[in-house]
């Protein structure tokens, strides 16, 4: 009998008994199957292969974000679109639309900042992001963009409040300065609005989360359309119908853009990575987003003389935008939890590269093992 250093890892063998293989009359008893061991052979040590993931953990670690981040995504879209509407109203002389868009945008960016700081845990973590400017970091660029937009829109909104209160704010000699910089600040907020509304799409798609990463080519278009829905909806709720013409136009364009962008995004994605957009909470939200967008867009076009219809349509557009942002957010979180959404698209991409003859780089080094 031989021995080796691996003997200690073998399972114990049952004791041997003479004549164990035969019953009365000399007939042999039925043998045991492979892997069950009868003292004369080794037991199977390897279980049947079943794919899960390493130690049962997700292949990609889900980001530690909750609904506060989703709320920030939505409120950033409201603020950015409102800045654009306010600048347009400033240039066309629509005072009520300009005032409401500025104040609504400032309220949205303020609430979004609160949600962001609540997710970060401490305000100084946001300040620390402003210590450097890194072009290759969507978070760094977005932090500076948020600060620039908030500052410019804040100046314009303070001017609106001072005007509404009959110049009663305790500004003193600063009032003349405020009047001088109001128009440039409003236009600056209009220029910073679209990047603010869309940078969060770059932030999400720059991660390794399967569904978000698979949407990287088209998610900015989805978010800019969603911002159009949100800002135009807020303007329809707060502005008289006589001055809300640009908001109605933006709502119609936003609905078309939202529907087309989502369809194109899903068509260009890997079908497995797109599954979380259709199932569970995310699927429900995105289906409602489409319905509310269509209803709100039709209502906006018909609300030229009906203030109640304009309010209802605006609320539907706001809800549609929120459903889009929350739905995309939840779909990404769920895709990171299931290894299938990471492994299967990877295998297809590798197979496509091999089929195209790309086998000499660090990604694809040769044909698959037999």
């Amino acid at each position: 009998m031989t021995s080796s250093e691996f003997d200690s890892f073998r399972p114990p063998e049952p004791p041997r008994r003479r004549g164990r293989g035969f019953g009365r009359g000399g007939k042999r008893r039925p043998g045991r199957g492979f892997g069950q061991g009868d003292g004369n052979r080794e037991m199977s040590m390897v279980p049947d292969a079943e794919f899960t993931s390493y130690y049962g953990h997700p292949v990609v670690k889900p980001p530690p974000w909750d609904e506060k981040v989703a709320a920030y995504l939505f409120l950033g879209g409201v603020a950015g679109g409102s800045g654009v509407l306010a600048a347009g109203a400033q240039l066309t002389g629509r005072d009520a639309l300009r005032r409401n868009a500025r104040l609504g945008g400032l309220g949205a960016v303020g609430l979004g900042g609160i949600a962001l700081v609540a997710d970060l845990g401490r305000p100084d973590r946001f300040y620390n992001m402003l210590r450097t400017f890194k072009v290759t970091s969507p978070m760094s660029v977005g932090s500076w963009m948020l600060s620039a937009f908030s500052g410019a829109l804040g100046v314009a909104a303070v001017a609106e409040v001072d005007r509404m209160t009959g110049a009663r704010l305790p500004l003193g000699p600063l009032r003349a300065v405020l009047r001088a910089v109001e128009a440039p600040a409003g236009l600056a907020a209009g220029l910073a609005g679209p990047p603010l509304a869309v940078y969060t799409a770059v932030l999400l798609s720059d991660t390794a989360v399967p569904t978000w990463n698979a949407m990287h080519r088209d998610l900015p278009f989805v978010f800019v359309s969603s911002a159009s829905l949100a800002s135009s909806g807020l303007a329809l709720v707060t502005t008289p119908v006589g001055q809300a013409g640009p908001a109605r136009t933006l709502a119609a364009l936003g609905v078309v853009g939202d529907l087309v962008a989502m369809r194109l995004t899903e068509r260009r994605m890997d079908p497995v990575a797109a599954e979380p957009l259709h199932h569970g909470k995310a699927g429900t939200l995105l289906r409602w987003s489409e319905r509310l967008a269509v209803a709100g867009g039709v209502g906006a076009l018909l609300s030229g003389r009906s203030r109640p219809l304009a309010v209802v349509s605006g609320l539907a557009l706001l809800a549609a935008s929120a459903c889009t942002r929350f739905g995309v957010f939840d779909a990404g979180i769920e895709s990171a939890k299931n290894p299938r959404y990471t492994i299967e698209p990877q295998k297809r991409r590798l197979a496509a590269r091999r089929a195209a003859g790309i086998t000499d780089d660090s990604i694809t080094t040769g044909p698959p093992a037999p």
Side-chain angles (χ1 to χ4, degrees):
M1 179 177 178
T2 61
S3 62
S4 74
E5 58 180 324
F6 299 105
D7 285 346
S8 60
F9 297 102
R10 291 179 178 174
E13 295 184 355
R16 301 183 181 182
R17 292 188 297 177
R18 301 186 67 178
R20 179 178 177 82
F22 297 88
R24 295 179 180 178
K27 293 183 179 180
R28 187 174 183 85
R29 295 176 180 175
R32 298 187 180 185
F34 176 75
Q36 296 180 359
D38 59 359
N40 296 320
R41 66 188 72 181
E42 294 185 359
M43 297 175 64
S44 176
M45 298 288 292
V46 181
D48 293 336
E50 180 181 353
F51 172 76
T52 53
S53 62
Y54 193 63
Y55 284 120
H57 293 294
V59 176
V60 175
K61 184 178 179 180
W65 297 339
D66 56 18
E67 300 300 323
K68 292 188 291 292
V69 174
Y72 172 71
L73 302 180
F74 166 64
L75 292 167
V78 176
S82 296
V84 174
L85 265 180
Q90 174 183 329
L91 295 175
T92 57
R94 291 177 169 85
D95 296 341
L97 179 60
R98 181 201 64 214
R99 179 189 67 242
N100 296 338
R102 285 177 176 176
L103 296 178
L106 184 63
V109 78
L111 292 174
I114 293 173
L116 178 60
V117 171
D119 178 73
L120 293 174
R122 297 197 311 266
D124 58 315
R125 290 178 176 170
F126 178 77
Y127 304 147
N128 289 335
M129 289 190 292
L130 300 177
R131 296 173 64 183
T132 59
F133 181 78
K134 192 174 182 180
V135 180
T136 56
S137 170
M139 180 67 76
S140 176
V141 174
S143 301
W144 279 97
M145 206 171 296
L146 175 63
S147 301
F149 176 85
S150 302
L153 190 64
V155 169
V158 169
E160 294 289 356
V161 173
D162 187 57
R163 193 177 296 112
M164 292 168 59
T165 58
R168 294 178 181 176
L169 292 181
L171 298 176
L174 294 178
R175 180 167 285 107
V177 177
L178 181 64
R179 291 286 183 263
V181 300
E182 175 188 359
L187 295 178
L191 292 175
L196 176 67
V198 79
Y199 98 88
T200 48
V202 181
L203 177 65
L204 295 184
S205 58
D206 194 47
T207 66
V209 175
T211 296
W212 293 343
N213 188 266
M215 303 174 78
H216 71 276
R217 290 176 293 185
D218 306 299
L219 189 57
F221 299 101
V222 174
F223 272 28
V224 77
S225 300
S226 170
S228 301
L229 296 181
S231 57
S232 60
L234 181 61
L236 288 173
V237 172
T238 59
T239 306
V241 294
Q243 291 202 8
R248 291 192 291 271
T249 302
L250 184 62
L253 294 175
V255 170
V256 174
D258 187 68
L259 297 178
V260 172
M262 280 301 298
R263 291 288 188 276
L264 182 61
T265 299
E266 294 177 16
R267 183 176 300 177
R268 285 155 60 95
M269 291 174 65
D270 184 278
V272 173
E275 284 183 7
L277 297 171
H278 302 280
H279 303 298
K281 180 181 176 182
T284 301
L285 288 171
L286 291 172
R287 284 191 294 272
W288 272 106
S289 171
E290 183 174 317
R291 298 166 188 167
L292 290 168
V294 172
V298 172
L301 292 176
L302 300 176
S303 65
R305 296 183 180 181
S306 173
R307 177 77 176 135
L309 181 58
V311 172
V312 173
S313 301
L315 292 175
L317 293 172
L318 280 166
S321 177
C323 287
T324 296
R325 303 270 177 150
F326 277 78
V328 170
F329 178 81
D330 288 334
I333 296 296
E334 289 302 316
S335 72
K337 296 177 181 178
N338 191 335
R340 176 171 176 260
Y341 298 128
T342 301
I343 300 301
E344 291 192 15
Q346 269 186 352
K347 288 182 176 179
R348 266 194 287 274
R349 288 194 297 269
L350 286 173
R353 292 175 69 86
R354 291 191 180 103
I358 305 175
T359 60
D360 56 350
D361 58 9
S362 60
I363 300 175
T364 312
T365 57

